[in-house]
């Protein structure tokens, strides 16, 4: 086994996750492209292969704790290590079909489903990844969060998404505290408003811009931060 860093990116078949995978692979990391639909994952991997980037596809449905554990053990079986975990997969289920999905009216099912993917998926993946990271004495965990989860700027509407991302931010702090004595860094970031299926065509950022801070956090040097929340590589308020 070489010293090549091995990364697992969830929700990597499109959008920001695909771009994070591309940028990490360009930096020389072995990137396992996590996708809940492996056919879609293979299509994305083919796109990267045409650019000379070889990426294996790993089946990963973050809503399923067993799938999270299996994805990490699949990566470990393939490469004997896991250095970087990017919790990128996410959903925004507070659609406009019933208005803004205010907290006053949102269905608990919508909130629960959102939490399974946006919050519990990252929890399960971190739980599976940390023992490997401890073993090898290195780990970088990046939680792709959102400004919509910032308590300091919290507003109404999109209740499921906001709650799930605030909880993801809390998870970032809790994990960073529990891992403070370890060479494992845990950070959250906001990509800004990005032109993807989730962000829509009117968003003001490209996927390249959206991926930049996650890639920076995934490749932090030893003296880099842990337990922080960042946008454009600068700390932002929780
Ligand atoms: N775009 C923005 O403006 C923006 C702003 C702030 C934060 N973010 C965050 O950035 C991250 C990426 O968003 P994006 O804009 O790239 O969204 P996107 O284009 O909608 O992509 C979402 C990705 O998550 C995957 N996913 C959804 N549910 C999953 C599950 N249960 N298991 C595994 N993968 C699952 C999707 O897979 P399928 O193709 O199978 O559905 C897709 O690959 C999200 O966490 C989002 O909250 C985005």
């Amino acid at each position: 086994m070489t010293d090549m860093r091995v990364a697992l990116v969830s929700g990597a078949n499109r959008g920001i996750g695909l771009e994070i995978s591309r940028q990490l692979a360009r930096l020389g990391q072995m990137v396992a492209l996590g996708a809940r639909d492996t056919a879609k994952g293979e299509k994305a991997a083919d796109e990267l292969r045409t650019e000379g980037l070889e990426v294996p596809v790993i089946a990963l449905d973050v809503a399923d704790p067993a799938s999270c554990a299996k994805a990490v053990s699949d990566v470990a079986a393939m490469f004997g290590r896991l250095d970087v975990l990017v919790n990128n997969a996410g959903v925004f289920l507070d659609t406009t079909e019933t208005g803004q999905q205010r907290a006053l009216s949102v269905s608990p099912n919508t909130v629960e489903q959102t939490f399974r993917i946006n919050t519990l998926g990252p929890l399960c993946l971190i739980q599976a990844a940390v023992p490997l990271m401890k073993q090898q004495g290195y780990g970088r965990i990046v939680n792709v969060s959102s400004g919509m989860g910032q308590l300091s700027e919290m507003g109404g509407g999109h209740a499921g998404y906001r709650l799930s991302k605030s909880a993801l931010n809390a998870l970032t702090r809790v994990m960073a505290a529990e891992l403070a004595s370890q060479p494992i860094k845990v950070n959250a970031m906001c990509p800004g408003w990005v032109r993807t299926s989730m962000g829509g065509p009117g968003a003001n950022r490209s996927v390249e811009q959206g991926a930049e801070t996650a890639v920076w956090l995934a490749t932090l040097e030893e003296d880099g931060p842990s337990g922080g929340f960042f946008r454009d590589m600068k700390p932002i308020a929780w």
Side-chain angles (χ1 to χ4, degrees):
M1 191 65 222
T2 66
D3 282 344
M4 184 186 264
R5 297 276 180 225
V6 174
L8 172 62
V9 181
S10 69
N13 55 291
R14 62 184 162 101
I16 298 167
L18 175 56
E19 182 57 27
I20 292 170
S21 303
R22 174 183 281 116
Q23 292 188 20
L24 288 177
R26 278 187 188 149
L27 290 173
Q29 296 202 359
M30 174 54 69
V31 181
L33 204 146
R36 62 176 159 177
D37 178 336
T38 51
K40 285 187 192 169
E42 285 301 341
K43 216 170 153 209
D46 283 344
E47 186 183 322
L48 298 187
R49 284 178 196 127
T50 63
E51 300 167 26
L53 305 169
E54 197 51 48
V55 294
V57 175
I58 296 280
L60 172 55
D61 180 348
V62 301
D64 175 5
S67 173
C68 292
K70 176 143 190 340
V72 170
S73 72
D74 284 350
V75 174
M78 271 187 207
F79 304 107
R81 60 192 295 163
L82 177 59
D83 302 280
V84 174
L85 170 65
V86 182
N87 284 309
N88 164 79
V91 286
F92 188 91
L93 302 176
D94 305 294
T95 54
T96 49
E97 72 208 25
T98 51
Q100 266 221 34
Q101 296 283 22
R102 302 175 66 212
L104 280 167
S105 55
V106 69
S107 145
N109 288 340
T110 302
V111 179
E112 188 179 332
Q113 214 186 327
T114 307
F115 261 76
R116 272 188 201 288
I117 295 167
N118 292 4
T119 318
L120 297 178
L123 172 70
C124 293
L125 282 168
I126 294 171
Q127 287 177 341
V130 162
L132 287 171
M133 292 175 169
K134 278 186 177 170
Q135 235 173 50
Q136 72 214 13
Y138 180 94
R140 300 289 179 266
I141 297 169
V142 183
N143 294 327
V144 179
S145 184
S146 166
M148 289 182 79
Q150 276 177 289
L151 290 176
S152 51
E153 297 192 6
M154 193 57 69
H158 312 297
Y161 189 76
R162 285 190 189 280
L163 293 170
S164 73
K165 293 295 189 182
S166 291
L168 179 63
N169 286 353
L171 175 67
T172 305
R173 294 280 298 265
V174 171
M175 281 294 179
E178 291 188 11
L179 292 168
S181 64
Q182 300 286 332
I184 301 173
K185 296 183 186 300
V186 191
N187 289 291
M189 55 79 67
C190 168
W193 186 27
V194 182
R195 289 185 294 279
T196 61
S197 164
M198 184 185 290
N204 60 358
R205 290 182 178 214
S206 64
V207 283
E208 289 82 358
Q209 291 169 310
E212 203 180 12
T213 298
V215 171
W216 169 66
L217 291 170
T219 54
L220 284 175
E221 296 295 334
E222 250 172 70
D223 59 356
S226 187
F229 189 20
F230 299 89
R231 185 189 293 126
D232 296 329
M233 293 178 273
K234 292 190 190 85
I236 56 174
W238 292 102

